[in-house]
Amino acid sequence: MTEPAGSEPAPAAAAVRAAVTGRRRSYGRYVAGKVAGAAGSLAFVLVLGFFLFRVLPGDPARTLGRGRFKTQDQLEEFRAQYGLDQPLPQQFLTYLKNTFSGDLGESLRYRTPVSDLILDRLWPTLLLVGTATLLATLIGVYLGVISAWNRGKATDKITTGTTLTLYSMPEWWLGLLLIAAFAVGMGPLPGIFPTGGLHSVDAEPGTIGYVGDTALHLVLPVLTLVLVYLADFSLIMRSSLLDEIGEDYLVTARAKGLRDVEVRRRHATRNALLPTTTLIALSIGFVVSGAITVETVFSIPGLGLLATEALTIPDYWVLQGTFLVTSAGVILANLLANLVYGLLDPRVRS
């Protein structure tokens, strides 16, 4: 009995199915390993978030009770209310129990649940970090492509030197420079942008003017983060593209008569984007840490400013909650990037 015309021989079809099954199992093991690593990182953050802030100098009960508590009994009652009179191991077990039940505690300073504070302050931080990361990625990738394609020329030297100079600047210092130049005004330059905050006092929520006012307030803080973290994406993209430029498939593409700009856009840049895909997620942690100082400098009511305010007491529950939420966000972003990278490049699974 002969095979129907055009059908695959049985051994070949079995080999294809076996290869597909093998790839699926390989990716399944890869996903399981990455998820287990993320869970381990989150467990480490959970433990670190408790003990890290307990070593901070200062007694929150005495700081908040200054001028309020007249007797030692009142001070001890305040400590008992928040469990500060318990031994440290007991406090840790209570912290784990409450966290796994979704209770992040109550703020010592604001006397409100920490989860409500975090939800209220989360959106300004997401708006700031998300906008800055998107712009830094787009501009950085473009500059990296231009630098690599003009390697050794004036364009490459100027772009690389400028991005490295900006990368070496502390966020808060660059932010203060931008405030002095474009908010306060310097010499002939008038002050154009607000010095801080997220909204003007007279801005009416829900209107187009409110959106424009928010965008105006975000210009300088977003510009600060974009300028500082531009070099990350630019240099990685430059390095990846330089590795691709000498490959044989680009020589073949040119031999087919494709223009240089088409070779760069349709072939080289696409393959060079793989490392940048992972870097986008990895850089979120650095951008979030930079947003803490930027929010403080520009008085943006986000998680960074909330954590800075909590450090002055120290407000243990706010510090634990913000540290856990921001760390979990970074871990999740890294996990998603690793999973996507495993799909794009099967070599990383081995």
Side-chain angles (χ1 to χ4, degrees):
M1 182 175 180
T2 60
E3 294 282 346
S7 65
E8 247 186 314
V16 171
R17 287 195 296 269
V20 172
T21 302
R23 285 196 295 269
R24 289 177 179 173
R25 289 177 179 174
S26 174
Y27 187 66
R29 289 193 298 268
Y30 175 79
V31 170
K34 293 301 179 181
V35 171
S41 299
L42 192 58
F44 176 75
V45 165
L46 193 63
V47 176
L48 181 65
F50 177 83
F51 291 102
L52 176 65
F53 302 115
R54 290 305 192 282
V55 301
L56 292 174
D59 183 352
R62 291 188 179 278
T63 302
L64 289 171
R66 189 177 296 116
R68 293 171 49 202
F69 301 144
K70 305 300 181 183
T71 64
Q72 184 66 25
D73 290 340
Q74 291 177 325
L75 187 64
E76 294 302 326
E77 183 181 352
F78 179 84
R79 286 199 176 108
Q81 179 183 354
Y82 289 93
L84 296 174
D85 59 334
Q86 299 176 353
L88 195 61
Q90 182 62 37
Q91 292 185 42
F92 177 63
L93 292 177
T94 303
Y95 158 74
L96 290 180
K97 177 184 175 183
N98 292 341
T99 302
F100 282 116
S101 64
D103 181 12
L104 297 179
E106 182 179 278
S107 169
L108 297 172
R109 177 175 181 173
Y110 298 99
R111 302 296 182 91
T112 57
V114 172
S115 55
D116 292 344
L117 278 175
I118 290 176
L119 286 175
D120 185 52
R121 301 289 191 98
L122 180 62
W123 298 112
T125 298
L126 288 178
L127 185 61
L128 173 63
V129 172
T131 305
T133 302
L134 178 62
L135 291 177
T137 303
L138 295 176
I139 300 173
V141 167
Y142 175 76
L143 292 179
V145 171
I146 297 301
S147 295
W149 217 253
N150 296 276
R151 182 182 183 181
K153 298 180 181 179
T155 303
D156 180 28
K157 294 178 181 178
I158 292 173
T159 302
T160 304
T162 302
T163 54
L164 284 176
T165 301
L166 292 170
Y167 184 73
S168 64
M169 294 183 180
E171 300 92 349
W172 60 268
W173 186 74
L174 181 58
L176 290 175
L177 286 181
L178 293 178
I179 289 176
F182 300 108
V184 177
M186 182 180 295
L189 295 175
I192 303 174
F193 301 100
T195 56
L198 192 59
H199 312 290
S200 298
V201 179
D202 57 348
E204 184 179 351
T207 63
I208 296 179
Y210 185 80
V211 175
D213 180 72
T214 302
L216 189 65
H217 280 76
L218 281 174
V219 168
L220 292 184
V222 167
L223 181 61
T224 302
L225 288 176
V226 169
L227 291 177
V228 170
Y229 294 102
L230 200 62
D232 277 344
F233 304 99
S234 176
L235 294 178
I236 290 295
M237 189 63 194
R238 179 182 182 275
S239 176
S240 301
L241 191 54
L242 286 177
D243 291 338
E244 296 292 331
I245 286 177
E247 295 294 330
D248 293 338
Y249 71 91
L250 294 184
V251 178
T252 304
R254 289 191 182 96
K256 289 180 178 179
L258 290 178
R259 293 183 302 166
D260 198 54
V261 65
E262 292 179 338
V263 173
R264 182 181 67 192
R265 178 172 53 86
R266 294 171 54 184
H267 297 280
T269 301
R270 288 186 179 183
N271 290 321
L273 278 173
L274 284 177
T276 310
T277 303
T278 304
L279 180 66
I280 293 173
L282 294 177
S283 66
I284 290 178
F286 297 104
V287 179
V288 168
S289 64
I292 294 176
T293 56
V294 169
E295 286 182 1
T296 304
V297 169
F298 289 95
S299 300
I300 295 177
L303 292 179
L305 184 59
L306 179 64
T308 303
E309 294 169 347
L311 280 170
T312 60
I313 298 177
D315 195 335
Y316 295 144
W317 284 264
V318 171
L319 291 171
Q320 291 166 181
T322 53
F323 183 71
L324 179 61
V325 169
T326 53
S327 299
V330 173
I331 291 171
L332 179 61
N334 291 340
L335 174 62
L336 292 177
N338 285 325
L339 297 184
V340 171
Y341 197 52
L343 285 174
L344 296 177
D345 189 351
R347 293 173 298 178
V348 303
R349 306 176 196 172
S350 57

